[in-house]
Amino acid sequence: MTSPDRAADAGAADPVGPCTGSSRRSKITPEREQEFYEAVLDQLRECGYDAVTMEGVAATTRCSKSTLYRQWKTKPQFVAAALRANRCVRFAGIDTGTLAGDLREAARAAGEWSTRDSMLVQALSHAVLQDEDLRSALREALVEPETRALDDLIERGVARGEIAADHPATRFITAQLMGVVRARPVLEGKQADEEYLSDFVEACVLPALGLTQAT
């Protein structure tokens, strides 16, 4: 390990207890920290939560496991930090000018990331029931940002007069779109890809809102 980041890892490998202070935490650069996060999330998707270990991530990223333990103390804290650091709102910026157009674009966007996110949710499905911080991190990273973004799409549609504010279907749109992404792998053994989600929006979501396919 010859880079400054990896040299810092090596220098932090002395046998000191976990998370001994901010002076040690600061030795990991933001770029190196992101490398650790990507490694643990990749292992989660590929192997499942139970198979992920600090030792395995250390080997993948070529650092000492004591570096990881000092920084994050436990595997659940490490995974939770990785989830929060990689929070990304996939539906951000969608604004086609119509609610139907926005929902179609949301379907396309969801199809692009559904495989990776579905694998992550499946890998954590049992672990989040055992660890409150992990459950909270999963919601913060993958659920709440998307829920708020979809709610914004609906609110703009209401503001434009495309649907009534009290339309009974509006409260279920987010659950419909996000639910089918999670459910199809379980029910059919296939990912909810862009084509599938686009068909779902045309056949189920738009009719529920009273929006025609030509809208």
Side-chain angles (χ1 to χ4, degrees):
M1 297 189 292
T2 57
S3 71
D5 291 349
R6 298 181 191 278
D9 292 341
D14 53 299
V16 181
C19 196
T20 55
S22 60
S23 62
R24 292 193 180 278
R25 292 175 65 85
S26 65
K27 289 186 177 182
I28 298 179
T29 66
E31 294 78 14
R32 185 68 164 135
E33 188 171 72
Q34 185 60 36
E35 185 179 347
F36 292 145
Y37 290 152
E38 291 174 358
V40 73
L41 294 179
D42 284 344
Q43 290 195 18
L44 276 169
R45 295 185 184 99
E46 294 172 7
C47 308
Y49 182 80
D50 290 341
V52 173
T53 64
M54 294 294 227
E55 290 80 358
V57 176
T60 299
T61 56
R62 299 176 62 191
C63 77
S64 68
K65 65 181 180 181
S66 59
T67 296
L68 303 181
Y69 278 113
R70 263 193 301 271
Q71 188 80 356
W72 292 286
K73 298 183 183 178
T74 67
K75 182 173 78 171
Q77 289 187 29
F78 187 18
V79 172
L83 288 169
R84 291 187 171 105
N86 285 272
R87 178 182 176 212
C88 179
V89 185
R90 278 80 172 187
F91 302 141
I94 292 178
D95 190 357
T96 66
T98 69
L99 179 54
D102 288 351
L103 290 170
R104 291 181 179 120
E105 188 61 32
R108 285 190 286 270
E112 292 178 359
W113 52 259
S114 63
T115 298
R116 288 174 62 81
D117 277 5
S118 292
M119 292 171 64
L120 197 56
V121 171
Q122 291 167 14
L124 291 168
S125 59
H126 177 70
V128 296
L129 300 177
Q130 312 299 320
D131 189 284
E132 183 176 350
D133 187 48
L134 201 56
R135 181 167 61 252
S136 176
L138 184 64
R139 287 191 56 81
E140 289 175 22
L142 298 181
V143 179
E144 292 172 356
E146 310 303 356
T147 297
R148 285 193 293 270
L150 288 173
D151 287 345
D152 287 344
L153 302 186
I154 300 297
E155 290 174 6
R156 289 202 302 269
V158 170
R160 288 191 293 259
E162 296 173 86
I163 56 172
D166 59 351
H167 194 298
T170 57
R171 60 184 292 225
F172 301 110
I173 299 305
T174 298
Q176 280 186 300
L177 189 54
M178 296 184 70
V180 74
V181 170
R182 307 288 186 253
R184 194 187 190 201
V186 176
L187 297 176
E188 301 181 24
K190 300 177 182 179
Q191 296 298 328
D193 57 17
E194 181 179 332
E195 180 181 3
Y196 183 86
L197 290 171
S198 294
D199 289 346
F200 176 76
V201 165
E202 298 293 345
C204 301
V205 178
L206 298 184
L209 291 169
L211 301 174
T212 67
Q213 293 189 6
T215 303

